[in-house]
Amino acid sequence: MFRKCDITGFEVDKRGEALIKVNAVFAVIFFLVAIIAAFFLVLTRHPTIHLLPPHLYYRFLTLHGWNALLFWIIFFEIAGLYFGSTVVLNSRFSSPPLGWLAFFLMLGGALLINYTILQGKADVLFTSYPPLKAHWLYYLGVLLFAIGALLGVILFFANLVVAKREGKWERSLPLFTFGLLTAAIIAVVTLVSGAIIFIPTFLWSLGIIDKVDPENYRIIFWGVGHPAQQINLAAMISAWYLISYLSVGGITPSEKISRLAFLLYIFFINLASAHHLLVDPAVSPAWKVFNTSYAMYLAVLGSMIHAYAIPASVELAQRKRGYRGIFAWLAKAPWGNPAFSAMFISLVGFGFIGGVTGVMIGKEQTNIIHHNTLAVPGHFKGTVVIGTTLAFMGATYYLIPLIFRRKIVLYSLAKVQPWLFGLGIAILAISMLALGYLGVPRRHYDILFSNAPFKHEFNPAMWFFWTLFVIGGVSAVLGALLWILIVVLSVFFGPKLKGPEDMQIPIVLPPQEEKKNPSHSSILCPGTLTLIFIFFVWFMTYFFLNWKWLSATWYVK
Amino acid sequence: MALLPPPENWDKEKPSKDEKTWVYIALLSCLFMFFWMIGWHIFGKQNTSFVSYKVNPMEFFQLYNSFVEKYKIGEKNGTPVVKPPPESDVILLARMWSWSPILVLEKDKWYTFHISSLDLQHGFSLQPVNMNFQVIPGYDHVLKFKPTKEGEYSIICNEFCGIGHHLMIGKVIVIAEGETPEKYLGEIKTEKNDFAEKGYFNQAGKINPE
Ligand SMILES: [Cu+2]
């Protein structure tokens, strides 16, 4: 049942490993679907290129949303959950048959959703706000997928219990698994909300119930939609800690504070449903203010802690190896290791683009100048794409040799891939944010209003950003396709990995502990402290700019 | 140590001075951002509304009809042009795929907007000032607006509402007291200025757009 990994020394349950593989492989397949759709979307949204006709634009947008935001990420996360609860703990998979059941439920749901969308029976976009109605098979697909994912998450908990009972861990889980535990707890709340709202919606699509209240739907739907992104957040941060550990032997400066930051997520992050309802009728400003800020931004605090702890883990390890000066640790970091570069680009991109814009879009009043503009997808390109997706891409460079036991094919291109994808998405996200500030709506086929009864002309500065949009979008698509190519070639056709000598990207052990305990009165990580200070200045600048822009609009109350 | 269990005494270890400093700075900025939002409700001029009502789409449609009938001053591209008096209630109707009526407002005067939809959800997006609000069938979204600058404004729809979503556009004209909107709209006079749009609902109260 077990094989002993000759590289990491872990005891690997082969039945669990098969499940990790199959979930990861299907994640990549759905990612490919999402990327093909994205290519057409980029070239359609540009107001003068307009590659697709309107109905196909909205259809591809629906397809892209589901495959990129849900299928790719959740299949990959299930693989990650199984990895963190079996391999990392040297433990066995609690119930492989149920693991397969979860997989087939998710797969069935995903195929059903994609099928109805491509048939043109669900042109409702990812949010499917009633009274907009799709074919009932679509809602059935959503339910199957959610139930499958819920089962997968439950198996993660079961694996932890089994491991504990069999003495594989005692008092505390490894930080990586602890982060995944956070993600899993958020996932349960999320998926249960999903069931609560999609069951009546499913019945409504069958004509069994008469009506789904559109506002109630929004409140509960975003109890799924937004926390689903917080699962991604927790999983991404776990992947950052993992990659820092594997690539430079990085250890968080304080286990206590890093774990506290994860706890803050568990307690507060599910309030974020409000982010999508800030300019809705029917919910009061008091409710909005409390919920949108996760009760005084305590979940944001969690993220700011990780934003310090991850680079600090790299800096600490590098300093122990003798790199002095403020940034020598960073300059001499293993940039040739695609997992490390992916992790670092992901970290910086998430913080500077995704995180900061998220806070400002999510403020009750400044949401007025953002809601449903292109700035919103611009923001989540900065979180779930440059953040989560790129972090997962980085983790895959370790997954291929360690789990699939293959060498990475086209390794020299793999070194470039995180840059191509990461910089592409960064340019795309920034251009979308800028277009959003000019008022350009999201999910809109024709902002020139060619066939509309009235015209509206946006600020001509938009043409500059539309050019950037295409440049960024196309580079990101190329970066993603390159990654898919590398993964598929390696996993299915790559040379078999014979042993540690075949590892192209090294696993770096933590440096030897210095004899003298570091004193707590001195500054341990001057480089990270400088970086985080630059981040803080940018954050506050962006904060006040937004209020300035808001105050230039009409008065409203 | 991300992949291995933490050291035995991990919960007793003291965090370093720089990490502690950062946590305190981060916490303070979180609290600051939270109270800023509340402060903006007191001192800021742009806030979301405390008022909304449940409304039956058919009733809302009747409100719209009588509102337009009362204040109509003309028509443009088939859409009525309406000039309500300052400080009054304004009805703005969203449906697939139009905003009506065209509103003529005076600068620096307050108007109480009632915005709702007859069919799907729509997105009220006032350009180029870039103010965005959600419009939901069955809910009267009440928003008090005070235009601060004269000019021609567009209302575009930024919530997906079907295949004609990108054709959905309306207009708001803001003028100084005593001015007329022709400067922006051109000729708007029609022979008959009475208005009653009929036939949108059938007898059972279901929408019947033709
Ligand atoms: Cu609309």
Side-chain angles (χ1 to χ4, degrees), chain B residues 53-68 90-95 99-101 112-119 135-142 200-201:
Chain B
Y53 305 106
K54 279 209 153 193
V55 66
N56 177 322
M58 212 156 55
E59 281 167 20
F60 192 81
F61 186 63
Q62 281 156 6
L63 280 173
Y64 160 80
N65 259 333
S66 48
F67 168 71
V68 173
V90 169
I91 308 285
L92 181 66
L93 183 82
R95 64 185 138 171
W99 295 98
S100 52
T112 306
F113 277 54
H114 296 259
I115 315 176
S116 192
S117 162
L118 293 189
D119 37 52
V135 181
I136 296 181
Y139 290 85
D140 172 4
H141 199 160
V142 183
Y200 204 80
F201 288 92

Side-chain angles (χ1 to χ4, degrees), chain A residues 171 215 364 371 453 455-456, chain B residues 11 41 48 77 134 154 171:
Chain A
R171 205 171 129 240
E215 187 62 53
E364 192 223 345
H371 178 72
K455 296 280 170 280
H456 176 76
Chain B
D11 47 352
H41 265 285
T48 68
N77 297 354
Q134 191 73 21
S154 304
K171 288 283 170 189

Side-chain angles (χ1 to χ4, degrees), chain A residues 27 67-78 228-229 232 384 388-389 392:
Chain A
N67 285 272
L69 202 54
L70 270 286
F71 305 154
W72 141 245
I73 285 184
I74 295 187
F75 272 106
F76 198 92
E77 276 164 354
I78 293 289
Q229 304 321 311
N232 302 342
V384 79
T388 310
T389 297
F392 287 0

Side-chain angles (χ1 to χ4, degrees), chain B residues 95 97 99 121-123 157 159-161 165 168:
Chain B
R95 64 185 138 171
W97 291 288
W99 295 98
Q121 303 193 22
H122 297 283
C157 178
E159 185 60 77
F160 175 67
C161 55
H165 165 53
M168 184 164 167

Side-chain angles (χ1 to χ4, degrees), chain A residues 436-460:
Chain A
Y437 278 107
L438 299 177
V440 174
R442 69 187 290 198
R443 300 173 156 187
H444 199 282
Y445 181 70
D446 181 21
I447 58 157
L448 301 181
F449 299 95
S450 318
N451 300 315
F454 299 100
K455 296 280 170 280
H456 176 76
E457 273 178 38
F458 287 99
N459 186 328

